[in-house]
Amino acid sequence: MGYLLLFDTFSKASDKFGTPFFEDDFEPNENHIVIQYAYRSDLTDMDREFILSFVEGLLSFKPSIDYVVDFFYVEQDLEFDYPTNSGFVELVEKINRLFNRNIMINDFQSFNNILQQ
């Protein structure tokens, strides 16, 4: 079990983002996407390869992006009382804490209305 978060920064990556990969030759693309995978049990190499391949499949159509997948372990499951609205706001608050993000909800009546700020 794991949780995959793709967070579009709507900006270029910092110059130091690419340093570990490209030394001094890193030229940021137009868009930096932060990708985090929080896992609940140990991942095998095959699991990691699958997740990386899945992310590549999701983003392969998007031009001019920089991303790397950050893997980290979490102690507890994120619980949510779907399909009722009860717990939806609390779930997003938990996600924000877990992934250190600031996702905001303008209309929590639907999953389609989660917006990044």
Side-chain angles (χ1 to χ4, degrees), residues 13-109:
S14 70
D15 289 336
K16 64 181 179 180
F17 170 80
T19 303
F21 312 106
F22 302 105
E23 296 176 6
D24 295 329
D25 296 335
F26 178 66
E27 185 106 10
N29 285 300
E30 293 300 312
N31 200 8
H32 179 212
I33 298 177
V34 175
I35 302 172
Q36 296 170 288
Y37 185 81
Y39 57 91
R40 290 277 301 123
S41 59
D42 290 336
L43 296 176
T44 66
D45 289 341
M46 187 182 294
D47 294 334
R48 285 179 187 268
E49 294 285 328
F50 176 81
I51 293 160
L52 293 171
S53 176
F54 178 76
V55 169
E56 176 64 25
L58 287 175
L59 298 177
S60 62
F61 70 94
K62 195 163 175 63
S64 190
I65 62 170
D66 292 313
Y67 74 90
V68 66
V69 180
D70 177 29
F71 291 89
F72 64 98
Y73 179 78
V74 292
E75 295 284 329
Q76 295 179 316
D77 287 330
L78 292 175
E79 295 181 9
F80 174 51
D81 191 17
Y82 182 79
T84 68
N85 290 331
S86 173
F88 188 65
V89 173
E90 292 81 7
L91 174 66
V92 173
E93 290 170 358
K94 289 178 183 180
I95 290 170
N96 282 336
R97 282 192 301 275
L98 177 67
F99 291 99
N100 195 25
R101 295 286 142 215
N102 188 24
I103 299 169
M104 297 180 68
I105 304 172
N106 288 345
D107 176 6
F108 62 88
Q109 300 299 313

